[in-house]
Amino acid sequence: MLTDNFGRKFYYLRLSITDVCNFRCNYCLPDGYQCDHDRDFLSFAEIKRVAKAFGQLGTEKIRITGGEPSLRKDLPDIIAACKQTENIKKVALTSNGYKLPEHINSWLDSGLDALNISIDSLDPRQFHAITGHDKLPIILKGIDMALASGKTSVKINTVLMREFNGYDIKTYLEWLKDTPVTLRFIELMQTGDNQEFFNKQHVQASRIKQKLILDGWLPSIRDKSSGPAQEFYHPDYQGKVGLIMPYSKDFCNTCNRLRVSALGKLHLCLFTEAGLSLKEYLQQDDVEPLKQQIVAMMSDKKATHFLHDNLTGATKNLAMLGG
Ligand code: SAM
């Protein structure tokens, strides 16, 4: 089992398979994706070795992310390979869903268990303004298809921004009355590239938490491979609400996640100074040296991120690392 110096256990791997993103979200890649390095992303064989090594080290859940993971043609094969890996019980995917109706069946056939789709506004014009793409109706259609299949859970990621959606929580809650998804409000995080935007737009999700509790929402119980959200349910709503509050006290105490970037680097935290390269250990089928290297690297994991001190490490934007 992967454990750090603070007794935290790591059941959950976030695996980025590409840096490339086709959206231009205002808080992440407002000028679109710019490549400042070789596009030497993990090959299918390397991805299988990463999954195998983490599976043998006790990982139970892999989230495939990016960049935009669906830009890779071999995504269905990657989902299937992760799913077939020993010890991996759950394969999840985070996507912007820009072609969701076209892709969803092949992802489900490959064994996808959990789908997260980013929707930063339920107003199509506002969605277009935030992402640079007029895709909300298509994405919502894909979500209906995913729900109708009954094969996957669906979560929605919504980054809270004061002027773009922070005032409009009611619309989301209305939607959740009849839509059985978990909607996660994520507090905007400061990155190397978005400081000015962050200063203007950051809103604390604790305000939403107070409102939910007053309106009769109840906290759900976490399990050991749960993500970072505090989740709430309400008997009158089919959907649930999650709050991801990286600036809240003790956020890092429940950290159970590690990340491997598309360039094959282990990131012990979203906001570390640099990733630790695993590339040379990914070239052979024997994963023992890779496992030993991962275990050795764990001793560097710090107790918390340093976002409170405005230290964002080497993370220029979250597309680099898969959010
Ligand atoms: N392209 C995929 C998508 O759109 O979901 C996966 C990658 S994206 C980086 C993963 C998640 O990180 C998205 O939900 C996105 O909204 C979130 N994200 C990106 N930058 C962020 C920031 N600065 N603060 C909070 N969340 C952020």
Side-chain angles (χ1 to χ4, degrees):
M1 184 72 245
L2 283 172
T3 309
D4 70 3
N5 294 338
F6 307 94
R8 292 175 297 194
K9 295 191 167 53
F10 297 88
Y11 294 100
Y12 178 2
L13 172 67
R14 300 182 67 111
L15 176 59
S16 175
I17 59 170
T18 179
D19 281 0
V20 184
C21 193
N22 53 343
F23 273 28
R24 297 190 297 274
C25 297
N26 52 3
Y27 51 89
C28 188
L29 296 174
D31 302 322
Y33 173 74
Q34 325 271 329
C35 190
D36 57 4
H37 53 71
D38 283 348
R39 290 194 190 189
D40 186 15
F41 300 135
L42 291 173
S43 66
F44 181 58
E46 290 170 335
I47 288 172
K48 283 207 290 191
R49 290 174 194 137
V50 171
K52 184 172 171 189
F54 275 90
Q56 291 185 8
L57 288 168
T59 297
E60 294 181 358
K61 170 173 166 186
I62 297 181
R63 174 171 301 288
I64 301 165
T65 177
E68 175 46 41
S70 63
L71 293 174
R72 265 185 81 145
K73 298 263 178 307
D74 56 355
L75 176 58
D77 298 328
I78 295 172
I79 295 170
C82 290
K83 184 73 181 183
Q84 284 152 23
T85 302
E86 195 188 339
N87 290 341
I88 302 301
K89 297 189 182 131
K90 192 165 181 181
V91 179
L93 174 73
T94 303
S95 167
N96 61 29
Y98 80 108
K99 279 190 181 173
L100 193 53
E102 204 176 296
H103 287 146
I104 186 66
N105 288 329
S106 71
W107 298 347
L108 294 173
D109 291 347
S110 300
L112 187 71
D113 299 295
L115 177 66
N116 281 28
I117 298 291
S118 303
I119 301 185
D120 295 322
S121 177
L122 285 172
D123 170 1
R125 275 180 309 175
Q126 190 70 296
F127 182 94
H128 191 172
I130 295 169
T131 62
H133 287 265
D134 187 13
K135 292 274 182 207
L136 182 64
I138 287 188
I139 296 168
L140 291 175
K141 182 174 171 211
I143 288 172
D144 285 343
M145 290 168 67
L147 290 172
S149 78
K151 291 183 183 166
T152 178
S153 62
V154 179
K155 293 187 179 173
I156 308 299
N157 286 349
T158 301
V159 177
L160 281 170
M161 293 171 275
R162 188 186 303 282
E163 291 167 317
F164 292 89
N165 58 18
Y167 53 86
D168 196 20
I169 305 309
K170 229 174 99 195
T171 309
Y172 279 105
L173 294 181
E174 290 284 311
W175 187 57
L176 291 180
K177 274 239 152 97
D178 304 311
T179 316
V181 298
T182 300
L183 181 96
R184 291 130 43 101
F185 292 111
I186 307 178
E187 269 185 33
L188 179 65
M189 289 177 254
Q190 185 185 337
T191 61
D193 281 352
N194 77 1
Q195 179 149 11
E196 210 180 304
F197 188 90
F198 172 85
N199 290 340
K200 262 200 193 149
Q201 302 297 342
H202 178 252
V203 228
Q204 287 189 348
S206 51
R207 288 208 313 233
I208 301 179
K209 183 171 172 177
Q210 283 159 9
K211 178 176 167 31
L212 291 176
I213 289 168
L214 282 174
D215 290 351
W217 290 78
L218 300 160
S220 307
I221 294 167
R222 280 178 64 80
D223 81 39
K224 64 184 179 184
S225 61
S226 292
Q230 288 182 28
E231 285 191 2
F232 297 83
Y233 68 96
H234 192 295
D236 300 339
Y237 290 73
Q238 290 199 37
K240 292 184 185 164
V241 179
L243 300 176
I244 301 186
M245 301 185 282
Y247 293 89
S248 66
K249 194 175 155 288
D250 300 336
F251 177 76
C252 300
N253 289 359
T254 52
C255 183
N256 56 0
R257 303 172 287 290
L258 295 168
R259 293 163 197 272
V260 171
S261 74
L263 297 175
K265 293 182 181 170
L266 177 68
H267 289 257
L268 298 169
C269 170
L270 191 48
F271 296 100
T272 40
E273 268 314 318
L276 309 163
S277 185
L278 298 173
K279 249 320 202 191
E280 66 172 289
Y281 302 93
L282 292 173
Q283 306 316 312
Q284 56 187 55
D285 277 333
D286 175 11
V287 295
E288 281 310 315
L290 173 60
K291 281 164 57 185
Q292 282 168 21
Q293 190 59 18
I294 296 167
V295 171
M297 287 170 166
M298 287 303 296
S299 61
D300 278 349
K301 185 156 168 73
K302 307 283 183 287
T304 71
H305 59 60
F306 296 96
L307 281 180
H308 303 95
D309 303 326
N310 295 334
L311 297 176
T312 55
T315 306
K316 291 198 279 180
N317 55 63
L318 298 199
M320 291 169 64
L321 279 177

